[in-house]
Amino acid sequence: MRICLCCILLWHTSGPAFGQDYDIVIRGGTVYDGSGAAPYVADVAVRGDSIAAIGDLRQAEARRTIDAAGLAVAPGFINMLSWANRALIHDGRGMSDILQGVTLEVMGEGVSMGPWNDQMKADHEAGQDDIKYNVEWTTLGEYLEYLERRGVSPNVASFVGATTVRVHELGYEDRAPTPDELERMKDLVREAMREGALGVGSSLIYAPAFYASTEELVELAKAAGEYGGMYISHIRNEGSGVLDALDELIRIAREAEVPAEVYHLKTSGTENWDLIDDVFRKIELARADGLRITADMYNYPASSTGLDALMPRWVQEGGFGDWRRRLQIDTIRAQVAMEMRTPSDAWENTLLSIGPERVMLISFRQDSLRQFVGKTLGYVADLWGVAPEEAAMNLVVADSSRVGCVFFSMREENIGRKVAKPWVSFGSDGSAMAAEGVFLNSQPHPRGYGNFARLLGKYVREEKIISLEEAIRRLTSQPAHNLSLTRRGWIRPGNYADIVVFDPDTIADRATFVEPHQYAVGVEHVFVNGVQVVKEGDHTGAKPGRFVRGPGWKALE
């Protein structure tokens, strides 16, 4: 064993150790390089924004050294589904994620922060809640450059939203685009790809995304594919229609000739839990057929979205204002309530599948309604003496928002089974918050504070579902490969120095559904582009994050 270890160290050392001058040397840690291979003890040297050497660097000079003996040294983690869009404008530190070792936030689940027209900008500013700012950008690339200029601790990247380009050209209408409109939508995707988007993302359970046909999505995916981009989707149904929804994603991947990923893979609703085997089988058959189909997940048995997910999509046509007005018309309310109580193959009827006691309310715009944060929809319905369907409509009208919720809709056993799949990576589907200030006005899903630490603590160390090296592969090199990123996702000389140093014996999530604003523990040091943003478990205040551009963008060199 001693001979093998020496060989590994010699192979991983880049350049002579003697006489080198490094900015930082992380000494004596156990290196998990992101490949999934067995770890090894080595020093890691950083010069500027990059990893300069790996190996026995005891004789090397460094401006600063970090003792990592007994700790894991890994590439920075990639959050495949982040909603840090607005949080990073308000607080660029990205506390809840950076303290778990996340060094790249990937945004764009169906909607993206550009391209926007003037009406979309106005609507976005009018819809702001506690976090307020002026919209100083138009395109998606301009937004990501705006974040970089303001200063953010993690790196940032994004898909361009299929919904966003649809609204840009069609508004919130329930109709197919004309050929000219579709071509303009494709041109918007192409422009975003040239700016650095990763591909095109959809979120098909929501209006107006729900109105898009498969053919429309194929065309948008083709446009992204022209620049090496992929298609990623919150599929059209995660309940009883999940298999048909997967067929749609697979068809889009095949016809557009692009890789495709399923956002937050799940089977939602008690009666659908056993469909997970069929879901696995369908994806693995597509992979065996040569398609690059992958998925990501969060490590909790509850999802989080808004009350719009409980209502039929037709009532939401035209955007939030039209939806809210319709919910105040008695005849329409009666029709909506009836459909919410009736099984349907036309849309995913979440309230019917999980019940009002499994819908927890977590965020409101109006101070007068924040008394219901942490309460269930069933509780509010009983308090007001109305049916749950009526309570949901009343809340949307009273709060002038979609009202944030948590849905307890999944089986814990299935979480572990998904973790075990080698083609699954991880995304929080949450924001990057701080446990202070305006963030305390809501009670978010705990995944925003604990998703990655929970994987490494609960599912790796405690339940031993996968090894630590495999978990790190799926937090780092696998998503980097899926996103066609270069110089990120691996501990290698020449790669950017996105590095996390953590204690495998103590890393754990602390956030709960009752008390979500609690940081994870066990991460000691985090570096982003060679700059230390976490030191001995505390944020340094540094904001070296960059706009990480996708395959369609080519630097002028």
Side-chain angles (χ1 to χ4, degrees), residues 13-14 32 34 73 110 116-117 249 266 269 273 329 332 350 364 398 402 434 444 452 508 521 545 548:
T13 301
S14 175
Y32 293 79
V73 179
W116 288 346
N117 57 33
L249 177 128
K266 67 173 78 74
W273 288 346
I329 300 171
I332 292 179
T350 303
F364 295 93
R402 63 197 287 259
F452 307 95
V521 298
V548 174

Side-chain angles (χ1 to χ4, degrees), residues 423-442:
W423 37 265
V424 172
S425 56
F426 300 91
S428 70
D429 200 5
S431 187
M433 303 159 283
E436 59 189 64
V438 298
F439 297 110
L440 299 181
N441 289 340
S442 65

